Amino acid sequence: MSGGVRRSSVRRFGQAVRRPTTLATTASRVCDRGTHTIRTMRHLHLPLRTLAGLAFAALVVVLSTSFAYRSLQATMASAREVARTLDLLDRLQTLLSDVKDAETGQRGYLLTGVATYLGPYNAAQAAVPSEVTTLRSLVAETPQQAARAAALEPLVQSKMDELRETVTLRRNGDEAGALAVVRTDRGKVSMDGIRSIAAEMQKEERAQLATRQDDYQAAVRSTFRYTLIGAVTLLSLIAVAGWLFARAHREREVEGWLRAGNAGVEGQLIGEHALDALGERVLSFLARYVDAPRATLYVAEEDGRFRRLAGFADDGTAIEAPDEVSKGTGLLGQVARDRRPLHLRQVPPGHVVRSTTGRSEPRELLIVPAIADGAVHAVMEFAFLRPVEARDGELMDRVCEPIAVAIRSLRERERIDDLLAETQRQAEEMQTQQEELRVSNEELEEQGQALKASQLQLEGQQAELEQTNSHLAEQAQLLEDQKDALTKSQAVLGDKARELERSNQYKSEFLANMSHELRTPLNSTLILAKLLADNKHGNLTGEQVRFAETISSAGNDLLLLINDILDLSKIEARKVEVEATPVVVAQVVEALNKTFEPMARVKGIEFQAVVEPGTAVRLRTDGQRLAQILRNLLSNAFKFTERGRVSLRVAASGGDRIAWAVADSGIGITPDQKEIIFEAFRQADGSTHRRFGGTGLGLSISRDLARLLGGDIEVQSAPEEGSVFTLTLPVEFAATAEGDARSTLAPPAPPTSAPAAPTTTHAADPPLPPRS
């Protein structure tokens, strides 16, 4: 592992060594281009300052590139030495590792005699000679290291010969001779000499490596320093030139922007518009043009007040945008009085810019008056989320006077239109009043007729209501009688339910107690039958041994039946303990696969357990109960399948549930038997001459446990086509009235001398194999 890391370090350092060569080539090209640029500038007609600045920049580039090129040459030389040292250290480490691996393989082979242990030994025998040769070539230019390498070679050869001799002896069957060679300590002396010389060489190379790395870092810093000085100088010259060009370009852009804005405002003023429409058009254009997220426009009235005429992104509330402002009141009133713009850079709290996604406070305000002929006709206020620039104020100075002139013209025209409209309105009002009087008379006549019809209708409705009230009183009395009868029935049902619950509790406790009581003599019977079947004293005949084995087998079957009855009684009594813990799906499937794979091989049935893609990695449930359910389902599948295949597939079901589908190609189930098989002590074939054994409790217990875990079991089957039992469980167990129950009745432990018989309630017990 360490050798691989060191080799990757050497490769990366070699790439770093080659990179300075590329930089040196690039530096030479830059020098050539700089010289060509200086020659080309002589033929250009440029101002003296510009020409001197460009020549100075080219000189800086040439000088910095020249110094950087020299530093790169020194860096490359140091890097090559560092790479050679790293390679030598790597070779030494690899040689030691191979010799150790060979010795490890030799020891494993000598101890076990298994040829597979010779893998590292064989690899080292092939690699060590070439590694020693490479090592000597790397230190050929260093006399001291070359002498050490020459002394190292015979030691390595001696160690490999000693290993080869012991392996050959062991391979020929002379294990004692091989161990005798090992005890001579000849290999240990060689190995100690190898380690000593390798340590001296590594110490020497690490000392040289530190010096060479310092030289390399000094050369790199020098190159960086020269490059940085040239780059900073050149960037400074470029920044000054860019600033000059940018300033001129910005001035042209600002002037163009001002002219475009002025033209846009004049375009909004062209045509005949109402005063409100004109204010909205002008304010909307200006707010968008100067990128103001909120703006208002107030127009002067005859009484000296200013009325809010238009708003941009303004909700018009009285607090934030009042309908009227007096001169000298607030910032806008002060601007109207002073007749000069106001630029507020520190906006006090309370100003709001609002949108559908939120609200924020503006950074700056700009309030400008629109003046024409010495009178303030309007005042505009703009809120900015950015700093206000000088061009914004310049634009307002240019457009305010045209806006004031347009507002004054519209006000005069509106005054004339109002006088004309007032005259027309008075004439229309007189005609309207006459028409209203005629219509009122007709409406009074129609209302009188409608009142008569309504009176007759009310009389009929009153009679119907009297009949309805009488019928409702009879129904109320009938409902009261039914309510009393229902109350009595509920009381009787409650008494019956409590009696039934006590009966079930007595039955469950009886079954649990009887199961515990039966286990003790049954375990004794199993122990005695096992002792007889073992026939350690040899005093029993073969037939007697078979009888004892038959008694042991029947006792185990009876113990399984007792355990199933105990489980069923605990479930009915709601005393099953559910311990929800994280369960890894893959681990459950792997455990089931290991359990049933031998059974599948014995019966010659194909068995497959698969977790479909997209299935949750883990679920929170009772792992013991889950394993018990799946083992019961798989045991039934193998029991009723004589040939074909059995499979377990786990897949997502509905996003938050997992489906465990157990499929077989067995005898199948008829439709009328699908519900019977889940009843206790019921089987699909309930006759006395049925082919398959069993108590009929496994599926009943499995379905009850599945429902305790928040899931259920469904079956799909057809006769002679196989069956599919699907267990569906939630990914996250949620405690219910059944699933949250805790066991309060623990069965007594069997005697310590009794053998632990397999039961269906323990998560780690495999199912019993089929008996011949």
Side-chain angles (χ1 to χ4, degrees):
M1 184 64 182
S2 61
V5 175
R6 189 175 295 276
R7 291 191 190 99
S8 62
S9 302
V10 172
R11 286 196 296 271
R12 289 197 297 270
F13 198 82
Q15 295 173 359
V17 171
R18 291 192 293 273
R19 194 176 298 117
T21 305
T22 305
L23 295 175
T25 305
T26 305
S28 300
R29 293 176 181 173
V30 171
C31 291
D32 295 340
R33 292 178 182 175
T35 305
H36 177 71
T37 303
I38 294 174
R39 293 174 181 174
T40 304
M41 288 191 303
R42 297 176 181 175
H43 302 283
L44 299 177
H45 299 285
L46 297 174
L48 182 59
R49 291 185 177 179
T50 303
L51 186 61
L54 293 176
F56 179 71
L59 179 62
V60 170
V61 172
V62 171
L63 291 176
S64 61
T65 305
S66 176
F67 288 128
Y69 177 75
R70 294 179 182 178
S71 298
L72 285 174
Q73 294 295 328
T75 303
M76 291 167 56
S78 300
R80 283 193 294 270
E81 291 299 325
V82 172
R84 188 193 66 79
T85 300
L86 291 176
D87 192 14
L88 176 58
L89 292 173
D90 178 62
R91 296 291 180 176
L92 283 171
Q93 187 65 32
T94 303
L95 177 61
L96 289 174
S97 178
D98 289 344
V99 174
K100 291 177 182 177
D101 291 344
E103 187 177 23
T104 302
Q106 173 231 19
R107 291 176 179 174
Y109 181 67
L110 292 180
L111 291 174
T112 62
V114 179
T116 55
Y117 283 94
L118 292 178
Y121 165 79
N122 295 329
Q125 285 287 354
V128 165
S130 61
E131 291 174 356
V132 173
T133 303
T134 304
L135 185 64
R136 294 193 63 179
S137 64
L138 289 175
V139 299
E141 297 180 0
T142 306
Q144 293 180 352
Q145 295 290 72
R148 293 189 180 99
L152 180 66
E153 184 174 6
L155 292 174
V156 173
Q157 185 63 36
S158 174
K159 178 62 178 178
M160 299 306 294
D161 292 342
E162 183 262 343
L163 295 176
R164 189 182 303 108
E165 180 181 356
T166 56
V167 170
T168 303
L169 291 173
R170 183 65 175 87
R171 187 179 290 136
N172 294 333
D174 188 4
E175 181 178 357
L179 294 177
V181 174
V182 173
R183 292 190 185 98
T184 60
D185 291 339
R186 189 180 73 188
K188 181 178 182 301
V189 173
S190 300
M191 195 65 193
D192 292 341
I194 293 171
R195 290 194 180 97
S196 176
I197 295 176
E200 292 176 0
M201 296 180 71
Q202 288 176 346
K203 180 178 180 181
E204 178 68 22
E205 290 298 326
R206 288 194 180 96
Q208 295 180 6
L209 176 63
T211 303
R212 290 165 183 170
Q213 285 179 339
D214 292 340
D215 295 340
Y216 175 77
Q217 294 296 332
V220 170
R221 287 193 295 272
S222 178
T223 302
F224 175 75
R225 183 167 54 253
Y226 291 135
T227 305
L228 181 62
I229 292 173
V232 170
T233 305
L234 183 60
L235 288 175
S236 300
L237 294 174
I238 293 173
V240 172
W243 178 78
L244 295 175
F245 287 128
R247 186 177 63 176
H249 179 70
R250 192 182 306 111
E251 291 176 354
R252 290 193 298 270
E253 281 189 343
V254 170
E255 184 61 28
W257 183 80
L258 292 173
R259 291 178 180 176
N262 195 10
V265 172
E266 291 179 354
Q268 300 297 327
L269 297 176
I270 296 175
E272 295 184 359
H273 306 286
L275 184 59
D276 294 343
L278 178 66
E280 292 288 348
R281 287 166 58 88
V282 171
L283 188 65
S284 178
F285 173 80
L286 280 176
R288 287 188 174 90
Y289 197 73
V290 299
D291 193 19
R294 185 169 181 179
T296 53
L297 188 151
Y298 285 78
V299 65
E301 297 292 342
E302 294 181 356
D303 58 358
R305 295 177 176 271
F306 285 83
R307 176 177 59 87
R308 183 164 58 85
L309 179 66
F312 180 78
D314 178 34
D315 56 6
T317 58
I319 297 176
E320 298 182 1
D323 292 334
E324 291 185 353
V325 176
S326 301
K327 283 188 178 181
T329 303
L331 296 177
L332 190 139
Q334 191 63 37
V335 169
R337 172 179 290 179
D338 296 342
R339 299 184 180 183
R340 59 183 181 182
L342 174 62
H343 177 197
L344 186 62
R345 291 180 174 81
Q346 295 182 354
V347 179
H351 293 71
V352 176
V353 176
R354 186 176 292 166
S355 69
T356 58
T357 58
R359 52 187 293 169
S360 59
E361 295 184 356
R363 294 182 59 183
E364 296 186 8
L365 295 178
L366 182 61
I367 307 174
V368 293
I371 303 174
D373 299 333
V376 179
H377 293 276
V379 181
M380 294 179 291
E381 180 177 349
F382 298 90
F384 293 87
L385 295 178
R386 59 173 179 83
V388 177
E389 301 177 5
R391 66 176 188 173
D392 298 324
E394 179 67 21
L395 176 64
M396 296 303 169
D397 291 340
R398 295 189 181 187
V399 302
C400 280
E401 185 175 358
I403 293 173
V405 172
I407 291 175
R408 183 187 61 185
S409 301
L410 281 177
R411 298 298 292 269
E412 293 176 354
R413 189 176 65 185
E414 286 182 354
R415 190 176 295 108
I416 296 174
D417 292 341
D418 291 342
L419 293 175
L420 178 60
E422 181 67 20
T423 303
Q424 294 176 352
R425 185 181 61 77
Q426 291 176 357
E428 291 175 355
E429 283 182 357
M430 292 183 65
Q431 294 178 358
T432 301
Q433 290 176 358
Q434 293 177 357
E435 182 67 21
E436 288 177 353
L437 287 174
R438 184 181 62 80
V439 172
S440 297
N441 291 332
E442 293 177 355
E443 289 179 352
L444 288 174
E445 292 178 359
E446 293 176 357
Q447 289 176 359
Q449 295 176 358
L451 286 173
K452 293 179 181 180
S454 298
Q455 184 176 3
L456 294 175
Q457 185 178 3
L458 288 174
E459 292 176 356
Q461 290 178 353
Q462 184 176 3
E464 292 177 358
L465 286 175
E466 291 177 355
Q467 296 177 358
T468 302
N469 290 335
S470 176
H471 183 64
L472 288 175
E474 295 175 357
Q475 288 184 347
Q477 183 62 36
L478 180 61
L479 288 175
E480 188 67 25
D481 297 340
Q482 292 177 352
K483 182 178 178 181
D484 294 339
L486 181 60
T487 302
K488 295 177 180 179
S489 299
Q490 288 178 346
V492 173
L493 288 175
D495 296 338
K496 295 293 184 181
R498 285 189 292 272
E499 292 178 0
L500 180 60
E501 184 176 359
R502 285 195 299 270
S503 176
N504 288 335
Q505 183 179 0
Y506 296 154
K507 181 192 71 175
S508 299
E509 291 179 357
F510 172 75
L511 289 176
N513 293 331
M514 288 302 299
S515 298
H516 293 314
E517 293 297 330
L518 289 173
R519 285 168 65 96
T520 300
L522 183 58
N523 283 331
S524 301
T525 304
L526 289 175
I527 293 172
L528 296 176
K530 181 67 170 60
L531 294 175
L532 291 174
D534 292 342
N535 194 17
K536 293 183 179 180
H537 300 291
N539 55 355
L540 298 180
T541 64
E543 185 177 7
Q544 290 174 338
V545 171
R546 285 195 303 274
F547 289 163
E549 291 176 349
T550 302
I551 294 173
S552 178
S553 175
N556 282 324
D557 292 341
L558 181 58
L559 184 60
L560 290 176
L561 175 61
I562 292 172
N563 288 334
D564 288 343
I565 294 174
L566 180 60
D567 282 348
L568 184 62
S569 65
K570 289 171 65 177
I571 292 173
E572 289 180 350
R574 296 183 180 180
K575 295 182 179 180
V576 176
E577 182 178 358
V578 177
E579 294 294 340
T581 58
V583 177
V584 179
V585 175
Q587 293 179 356
V588 175
V589 174
E590 182 180 0
L592 293 172
N593 189 34
K594 290 180 179 179
T595 301
F596 288 94
E597 184 64 28
M599 182 183 294
R601 286 199 301 269
V602 171
K603 298 191 68 173
I605 298 175
E606 179 185 355
F607 176 60
Q608 184 181 17
V610 179
V611 180
E612 299 290 346
T615 307
V617 177
R618 58 175 53 86
L619 71 161
R620 185 173 180 83
T621 187
D622 192 324
Q624 177 181 345
R625 304 301 178 185
L626 172 61
Q628 179 179 351
I629 296 170
L630 295 176
R631 284 202 307 273
N632 284 338
L633 296 180
L634 286 171
S635 297
N636 284 343
F638 278 100
K639 181 170 70 174
F640 295 105
T641 303
E642 296 181 352
R643 63 181 179 275
R645 61 194 302 272
V646 175
S647 66
L648 169 63
R649 292 189 175 273
V650 187
S653 176
D656 58 347
R657 303 181 76 82
I658 296 181
W660 309 70
V662 177
D664 62 70
S665 58
I667 61 176
I669 305 170
T670 60
D672 57 341
Q673 294 174 337
K674 288 183 179 179
E675 291 300 326
I676 295 177
I677 61 175
F678 287 103
E679 296 179 7
F681 303 103
R682 296 291 297 271
Q683 294 182 332
D685 184 7
S687 63
T688 58
H689 58 276
R690 61 179 184 267
R691 295 166 54 194
F692 305 98
T695 62
L697 292 177
L699 289 178
S700 176
I701 293 173
S702 297
R703 171 171 278 189
D704 290 339
L705 290 178
R707 289 173 176 173
L708 284 175
L709 298 180
D712 203 353
I713 298 178
E714 299 179 354
V715 59
Q716 296 178 354
S717 180
E720 304 304 329
E721 295 183 2
S723 305
V724 179
F725 286 83
T726 303
L727 167 65
T728 305
L729 291 178
V731 175
E732 187 68 25
F733 172 76
T736 62
E738 295 178 344
D740 196 32
R742 288 290 182 263
S743 176
T744 59
L745 181 60
T752 56
S753 59
T759 67
T760 60
T761 60
H762 197 282
D765 291 336
L768 293 175
R771 297 187 179 90
S772 59

